[in-house]
Every structure is written in C-alpha cells, then in structure tokens.
Amino acid sequence: MSDPAAVLDDLRAESDEVDALVRDLAAEQWAAPTPAPRWTVAHQIAHLAWTDAAALLAATDPEAFAAETEKALAAPDRFVDDGAEEGAALPPAELLARWREGRERLHRVLREAPAGTRFPWYGPAMSAVSLATARLMETWAHGQDVADALGVVRPPTARLRHVAWIGLRARDYAYLVRGLTPPAEPFRLELSAPEVVSEAGAVWTFGPDDAPQAITGPALDFCLLVTQRAHRADTALVAHGADAEEWLGIAQAFAGPAGQGREPRGNR
C-alpha cells in the first residue's frame, strides 16, 4: 500500500462508481432513506463531500484544520451529522458538483505531496497514501449505503484490498476510542479475495505468519464489518483466538467516536 499513485487511481475509480449510482437520480431518489438512521442518499453524498473538504483542509492548511478539530471535540456526537445536514439541504445538482470539485482538488494535492509528508487527521496523522486509502474506504462504505438504499448490488472489486488494509491498521484505534487497551501482539488476516481478482482462489494476507491471533473469511465480509455495514453475525468471518474474537465485536476502520454498527439482519 506504499504507492500513492496506485491508491489515488483506485480512489478515483471508487468515486466514479459511486458517482454513477447517483448522477441520474430523480430528486425524490436523493431523498430515499439509507441504512444509516435519518440519513438519505443526499446525506451520504454530502458526507463524502464534507470529509473530502476536511481532508483538503488538513493537506493545505493544518492550522485551519486544527481549529476544525476543536469544533469536532466540542460536539463529538453532532459534528458529522451537522456536516451532512448542511450538504443534504443543497439542490442535488449543486451537491453533486461540490463533491466532484472537492474530490478532484484533493486528488491533485495528494498526488503532488512530497514523499514523507504527513497530514493531521481526526485520529493519528497520515501519509498521503494513508489519507487516500482512508478516503477510498469511506467512499466505498458510504457508496454501499447508497447502493442499499437504491436496491443495487455492487460486485466487489480488487479495491477492497485497501479497505481491508486500513481496517487492520485501525485495530488499535477501535480499542482506544472505547477506552480499552489494545492487544500487544499484531493480528493476521487471511481473506479470500473477490472473484474479480485474476488469480482464482486468491487469498489476501496481512500480518505475521506466526501471529497467535487471526481472522479468516471473505474479504467482502471483513470490509463490511470494519466499516460497520454488517453485523458480525451476518458474516462468514472466523476468529482464531480470544483477542481476535473481541476485536471483531468492536472493529471500525473510520476515525471518530465509537460507531454503533448494524443490527443483525434478523432484528431489522
């Protein structure tokens, strides 16, 4: 995951896929409810535009971004919803244009960032490749909400490897944001890749071969879980070790307060 250009190319492809879901929607479809409580399709796109704008601010004006993080700390339960509400109130064409412009500006800034540059964020500071990966993860996750709202089934792509990677990288954050102590030892992931990957039966592996704690199962299920788009009970993931089992109950790949996750399908 060390090549920013490759990640940025995949981020653009992911964004274009979500863009294709919404660009021809009628006004009433923008108001369709998504699985996130009180969020419509418009809220989902507004959130992507808002977080792209925050990432651009972090990359171009760290002092101004620090002021924004102070606002977030002052209202941790509202600042994300407030940003989405503001954008969702715009006419759909204006909202879509804002998202397109913002993500393109961010793309250019990250592509031109000198090697070794680190940018502030709501969690730990990030390199250009990590920030691009985080944006891809969020774009995929909120795109999933849009697809669910519209009744569209999106075939999983090889871009899920980025989501899986940042999901594992965010392991300790999921503990810390809940006031828990992360396990001392690294975990291992062994995830069956989507069928679109050219090598039949391909397995994506992360972490040491001899790690005592491991997660195995479909890459799509893991990505849905760490983005909190699926409940653990609705996945085919297997935890090998008590610490791995605990982590699957709290995993989150995104910065911010601890997410509530999704209810099991049987409870909806």
Side-chain angles (χ1 to χ4, degrees), residues 5-39:
V7 180
L8 285 164
D9 287 346
D10 281 348
L11 171 57
R12 174 168 280 164
E14 193 67 42
S15 299
D16 288 346
E17 183 176 290
V18 178
D19 194 302
L21 288 175
V22 300
R23 64 191 178 203
D24 296 323
L25 293 182
E28 61 271 17
Q29 291 175 293
W30 282 87
T34 68
R38 301 178 300 281
W39 276 31

Side-chain angles (χ1 to χ4, degrees), residues 180-206:
L180 304 173
T181 301
E185 297 178 328
F187 290 179
R188 180 168 176 81
L189 296 183
E190 296 182 2
L191 305 175
S192 53
E195 292 182 2
V196 70
V197 176
S198 57
E199 182 183 351
V203 175
W204 293 338
T205 60
F206 307 85

Side-chain angles (χ1 to χ4, degrees), residues 142-240:
H142 290 281
Q144 186 62 46
D145 291 336
V146 171
D148 288 344
L150 301 175
V152 175
V153 177
R154 298 189 303 169
T157 74
R159 297 190 295 272
L160 287 182
R161 187 179 180 92
H162 302 299
V163 181
W165 177 81
I166 203 167
L168 179 60
R169 291 273 293 181
R171 185 202 71 170
D172 288 3
Y173 180 81
Y175 283 87
L176 294 172
V177 78
R178 291 166 173 79
L180 304 173
T181 301
E185 297 178 328
F187 290 179
R188 180 168 176 81
L189 296 183
E190 296 182 2
L191 305 175
S192 53
E195 292 182 2
V196 70
V197 176
S198 57
E199 182 183 351
V203 175
W204 293 338
T205 60
F206 307 85
D209 292 345
D210 60 351
Q213 307 285 322
I215 308 293
T216 59
L220 175 60
D221 286 10
F222 180 76
C223 293
L224 289 169
L225 183 75
V226 297
T227 57
Q228 298 192 353
R229 265 58 188 180
H231 189 275
R232 168 73 195 286
D234 296 324
T235 73
L237 297 172
V238 178
H240 304 268

